[in-house]
């Protein structure tokens, strides 16, 4: 195998939506469903866990087939004012990309641009001036401009994290926004896509009779990429860059990275950066993981500094016993709490706020970031200091192997 060229581009991308030219594992069933929805002017809602590549699937499929796509991202939307501002800015960027020449010579497109700019300026302070009624006036006007574009240009609309409208806005305003979105989008008869990471909350928008979006889109569950397919993609990408990746090493990348394609791509990206030998194996993956965990240290240290010892112990229990319900005897013993309600109280700082590091999934809590979780789990001295049951090395190593049996040997310790 030829050595890697000095100017070779790292094929692995993480932390953003994948584009047409980025290396990505094919997911033909989902891509076909997206193309069919475009063809039929249908509505498709992709539901699944966070960071499984739902947004990338929608955007990359449209890009690969040259299909215009307007994306509205309502993740952690703060208010109707914030929602309108985001939607106006994204629609403005979409219209500007159509054609600079067309904007100068086409009256309707020029009118749309001027109207959007007017909304962008006028939307600020909207809620303060419309206290007595639901503030959706600007949103209705904005959707009217979108309808003008949709009548003249083939396009799709993609609303990401739609459930945050229901979860984060006051109920009356959320229902007004959702009702307006559904009615106006239905009139446009454009292909519509939705994606959400809070499974129960997002799914409820389309299956609950009380929701304005009840039965308004086909639900499609997005699952993790099968290991065999993802492993084959990793080996092929490494080979194209001048490295051999064995099936065993690919399995380690997948096990350490977890179910998120983004996390696996992150680890593969750093592994590719440190690889100098023809064959990539455990030592390279270990150095890459060390680098990723080191990058987590400032964030982790900042969080630990703001938590009490009791709260840190509960957080460590979440990291190590993610598979257990927080009210189970084993979890409570590790957390040092007498009952589940005490766990809920201790985790409040980690769950709430603009950038929470823990989330609740049914009867379990989990650390949102895969690599922050591994950072917490591998702080041996801190874990053994705060969790008495894990002070024996054998008990700690057993718990760590249950989190990820494929961690490098220096992190797992002696068998």
């Amino acid at each position: 195998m030829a050595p890697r060229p000095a100017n070779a581009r790292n094929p692995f991308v993480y932390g953003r939506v994948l584009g047409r030219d980025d290396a990505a594992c094919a997911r033909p069933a989902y891509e076909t469903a997206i193309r069919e929805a475009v063809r039929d002017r249908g509505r498709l809602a992709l539901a699944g866990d966070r960071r499984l590549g739902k947004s990338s699937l929608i955007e990359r499929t449209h890009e690969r087939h040259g299909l215009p796509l307007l994306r509205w991202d309502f993740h952690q939307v703060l208010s109707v004012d914030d929602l309108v501002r985001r939607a106006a800015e994204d629609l403005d960027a979409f219209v500007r990309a159509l054609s600079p020449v067309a904007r100068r010579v086409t009256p309707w497109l020029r009118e749309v641009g001027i109207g959007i700019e007017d909304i962008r300026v006028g939307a600020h302070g909207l809620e303060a001036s419309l206290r007595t009624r639901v503030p959706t006036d600007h949103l209705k006007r904005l959707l009217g401009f979108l309808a003008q574009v949709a009548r003249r240009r083939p396009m799709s609309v993609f609303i990401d994290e739609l459930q945050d409208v229901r979860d984060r806005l006051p109920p009356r305003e959320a229902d007004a926004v959702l009702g307006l979105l559904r009615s106006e989008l239905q009139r446009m008869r454009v292909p519509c896509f939705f994606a959400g990471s809070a499974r129960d909350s997002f799914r409820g928008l389309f299956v609950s009779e009380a929701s304005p979006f009840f039965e308004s889109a086909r639900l499609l569950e997005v699952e993790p990429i099968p290991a065999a397919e993802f492993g084959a993609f990793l080996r092929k990408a490494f080979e194209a860059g001048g490295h051999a990746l064995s099936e065993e090493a690919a399995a380690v990348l997948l096990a350490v990275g977890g179910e998120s394609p983004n996390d696996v791509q992150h680890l593969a990206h750093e592994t590719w950066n440190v690889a100098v030998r023809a064959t990539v194996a455990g030592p390279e993956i270990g150095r890459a993981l060390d680098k990723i965990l080191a990058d987590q240290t400032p964030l982790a240290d900042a969080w630990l500094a703001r938590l009490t010892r009791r709260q840190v112990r509960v957080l460590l229990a979440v990291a190590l016993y993610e598979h257990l319900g927080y009210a189970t005897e084993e979890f409570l013993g590790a957390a040092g709490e007498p009952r589940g309600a005490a766990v809920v109280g201790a985790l409040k700082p980690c769950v709430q706020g603009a950038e929470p590091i823990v989330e609740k999934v049914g009867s379990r809590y989990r650390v949102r970031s895969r690599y922050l979780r591994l950072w917490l789990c591998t702080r041996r001295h801190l874990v053994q200091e705060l969790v008495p049951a894990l002070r024996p090395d054998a008990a700690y190593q057993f718990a760590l192997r249950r989190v990820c049996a494929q961690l490098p040997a220096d992190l797992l310790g002696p068998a």
Side-chain angles (χ1 to χ4, degrees), residues 60-314:
R60 193 167 187 268
T61 300
H62 277 78
E63 187 179 357
R64 287 181 64 188
H65 294 274
L67 305 172
L69 176 69
L70 168 66
R71 180 189 182 218
W72 283 342
D73 183 0
F74 295 154
H75 177 58
Q76 294 191 350
V77 65
L78 300 174
S79 62
V80 176
D81 184 16
D82 180 44
L83 183 146
V84 170
R85 178 187 57 78
R86 296 188 195 189
E89 290 179 351
D90 291 338
L91 180 56
D92 183 56
F94 181 81
V95 169
R96 288 178 182 276
L98 291 178
S99 168
V101 174
R103 288 203 316 278
R104 290 198 296 270
V105 301
T106 306
W108 69 267
L109 194 53
R110 187 166 58 248
E111 177 189 341
V112 167
I114 295 172
I116 295 172
E117 181 61 28
D118 176 59
I119 291 174
R120 290 175 61 188
V121 173
H124 294 283
L126 177 65
E127 289 174 307
S129 62
L130 297 174
R131 297 179 189 278
T132 60
R133 53 197 172 101
V134 176
T136 56
D137 304 59
H138 284 64
L139 179 60
K140 187 173 180 62
R141 283 187 62 208
L142 198 65
L143 289 166
F145 290 128
L146 173 58
Q148 288 192 46
V149 179
R151 283 196 297 269
R152 295 170 170 86
R153 297 291 178 95
M155 62 175 293
S156 299
V157 176
F158 169 32
I159 301 181
D160 208 356
E161 305 293 354
L162 178 64
Q163 78 284 346
D164 275 8
V165 174
R166 168 59 56 79
D167 293 345
R168 298 178 64 87
L169 298 187
R172 184 165 171 261
E173 295 182 6
D175 285 342
V177 168
L178 292 172
L180 185 59
L181 284 172
R182 179 184 177 176
S183 63
E184 295 299 319
L185 290 174
Q186 283 184 323
R187 289 193 184 95
M188 291 180 211
R189 294 184 57 78
V190 296
C192 292
F193 299 88
F194 309 93
S197 55
R199 288 196 174 195
D200 293 339
S201 179
F202 178 73
R203 189 184 293 108
L205 290 173
F206 301 95
V207 301
S208 170
E209 293 185 3
S211 168
F213 272 84
F214 176 59
E215 293 187 344
S216 63
R218 173 194 167 197
L219 269 175
L220 182 62
E221 294 286 344
V222 177
E223 301 293 339
I225 301 174
E229 296 177 18
F230 210 173
F233 158 73
L234 293 172
R235 294 195 300 274
K236 182 178 179 180
F238 269 101
E239 183 177 349
H243 300 285
L245 183 73
S246 68
E247 290 189 19
E248 293 77 11
V252 173
L253 280 172
L254 292 170
V256 175
E259 293 184 341
S260 163
N262 183 80
D263 291 337
V264 174
Q265 289 256 33
H266 188 176
L267 183 58
H269 178 95
E270 298 297 350
T271 301
W272 196 91
N273 282 342
V274 302
V276 293
R277 300 185 301 172
T279 301
V280 174
E284 288 83 4
I285 298 174
R287 289 199 297 275
L289 181 59
D290 286 343
K291 197 266 184 185
I292 293 174
L293 296 185
D295 291 342
Q296 294 290 318
T297 299
L299 170 66
D301 284 345
W303 268 99
L304 295 184
R306 74 180 71 168
L307 300 177
T308 65
R309 284 174 61 85
R310 172 190 169 227
Q311 290 169 330
V312 172
R313 178 174 177 178
V314 176

Side-chain angles (χ1 to χ4, degrees), residues 20-40:
R20 176 178 54 195
D21 298 326
D22 295 322
C25 186
R27 309 182 77 174
Y30 301 125
E31 293 164 12
T32 298
I34 293 167
R35 291 199 305 273
E36 289 175 349
V38 172
R39 180 196 65 198
D40 301 335

